[in-house]
Amino acid sequence: MLILGIESSCDETAAAVVRDGREILSSVIASQIDLHRPWGGVVPELASREHLEKIEPIVEQALTQASVKLEDIGAIAVTQGPGLIGSLLVGVCYAKSLAWSLDIPIVGVNHIEGHVYSVAFENPPIEYPALALIVSGGHTNIFHIPEEGKYKVVSRTRDDAAGEAFDKVAKMLGLGYPGGPAIEKLAVGGDPKRFKFKQAKISDGRPDLSFSGLKTAVSRHIRESGIEPVANGGEPSTEIRDMAASFQASVVASLVGTLSKLAIKLQPKTLIVAGGVACNLALRSVAEAAAERLGVPVYFPSKHLSTDNAAMIAAAGQFHLTRGERAELEMTADITLRLQNLENRDAELRRSKIRYRL
Ligand code: KG4
Ligand code: ZN
């Protein structure tokens, strides 16, 4: 079956045509990075307006690139939440109208579940139980997935998401937005051991994560040592490079350390590392080394599937459609949609239909 995936939860308008949940015929992404860069972060009002302008041409482009017509599409999968309400509504309303006019099924997909499915294209099929670290600008969670579609949060960030910490520290260092790629670039050649940024200790002993203390430690260091942020286009000092490398190493160590601890306890057959921060090569190499030590394969999406895209939404949608799930046309965006076990999903979908109805 051909599924049209649609994603508009934050600042990327994306559409993709995917066959049988595993083969990408097209994946088109319109990034709004340039639009939001002057503000140093995503401006929700600007994001939703831009989605409105882009959604139609992006879907058309996805169909053209896949060499298919609208009539060839068997179903639509659209990101229902979590995300920004205005942004989500553009995708959800567009997808519902299209499904209605074509008289084909539609399912709402949880964006985070989409990130889990981003590894479905370039790796062997996922063996369960799996353990998935989903690490992006909005989320940092580790899910235990005993079988396909069943999720248990076994670790979460207590404060900032890891990508958010990258973005905030980049801002302090005078780097551009988004901060993750900028810090990674700066960290190349920097000394990751020069600054000892300690990993947060969670006082109740749960295997949770925390990045706000680390961010504060970097900020204090910048203030106390009088480091000059990188001027526009200026050559960064060795100190700034070392600080970027040390910060990155600390984030990576706490993510992979927690993932490893949980893997020892839960004995998964597959590890998954996905989400925008999974683009980070330091994270990939440390996670790969840990997986090798544990004797468990680790799956990453390639770079263009790590950040937000619609192919991953179509792949997750395929699973739900195959189970027979169909969303009603009253289905609407839900900014707080949680990743549920299948048993609770139907109830959640029913509840979410009445929220944020236009
Ligand atoms: O998954 P994503 O595109 O959007 C969300 O769902 O949040 O993730 C975007 C986040 C941003 O915070 C960005 O700084 C971070 O992923 N990111 C990175 C890298 N590339 C993107 N963080 C660290 N290293 C990178 N190379
Ligand atoms: Zn995302």
Side-chain angles (χ1 to χ4, degrees), residues 165-183:
F166 267 97
D167 293 338
K168 287 179 179 167
V169 166
K171 213 170 186 175
M172 289 175 208
L173 293 177
L175 303 167
Y177 164 84
I183 291 210

Side-chain angles (χ1 to χ4, degrees), residues 111 115 136 308:
H111 179 81
H115 278 300
S136 70
D308 292 347

Side-chain angles (χ1 to χ4, degrees), residues 7 9-10 12 111-112 115 134-139 275-276 306-309 312:
E7 153 67 34
S9 64
C10 188
E12 263 100 20
H111 179 81
I112 302 169
H115 278 300
I134 306 301
V135 66
S136 70
H139 319 278
S306 295
T307 45
D308 292 347
N309 65 86
M312 67 184 196

Side-chain angles (χ1 to χ4, degrees), residues 21-79:
R22 279 190 67 84
E23 189 193 345
I24 301 176
L25 303 192
S26 65
S27 176
V28 183
I29 303 167
S31 166
Q32 302 180 0
I33 284 179
D34 291 340
L35 178 73
H36 300 290
R37 187 172 282 124
W39 310 95
V42 178
V43 183
E45 186 59 38
L46 294 180
S48 47
R49 275 193 241 162
E50 186 72 3
H51 284 306
L52 261 182
E53 301 248 337
K54 290 282 159 61
I55 189 107
E56 183 134 38
I58 291 300
V59 168
E60 273 167 16
Q61 224 174 303
L63 294 167
T64 309
Q65 281 186 17
S67 304
V68 299
K69 296 196 202 59
L70 264 182
E71 300 77 61
D72 302 323
I73 299 296
I76 297 179
V78 62
T79 304

Side-chain angles (χ1 to χ4, degrees), residues 324-342:
E325 287 181 37
R326 302 286 183 269
E328 305 285 329
L329 277 185
E330 291 92 333
M331 179 261 293
T332 190
D334 184 348
I335 55 170
T336 59
L337 188 69
R338 281 182 305 146
L339 193 41
Q340 295 277 12
N341 277 340
L342 293 175

Side-chain angles (χ1 to χ4, degrees), residues 275-325:
V277 182
C279 291
N280 189 285
L281 295 179
L283 173 61
R284 285 182 186 234
S285 71
V286 175
E288 255 159 15
E292 206 170 312
R293 273 197 307 278
L294 293 161
V296 187
V298 58
Y299 297 169
F300 303 96
S302 58
K303 213 168 175 168
H304 68 286
L305 288 167
S306 295
T307 45
D308 292 347
N309 65 86
M312 67 184 196
I313 302 302
Q318 168 87 35
F319 166 67
H320 291 289
L321 285 157
T322 307
R323 271 184 86 232
E325 287 181 37

Side-chain angles (χ1 to χ4, degrees), residues 343-358:
E343 304 93 69
N344 302 332
R345 182 174 154 90
D346 296 339
E348 180 77 28
L349 284 176
R350 271 198 299 279
R351 265 202 307 281
S352 64
K353 273 197 297 192
I354 52 163
R355 286 193 216 160
Y356 305 111
R357 190 182 289 179
L358 275 183

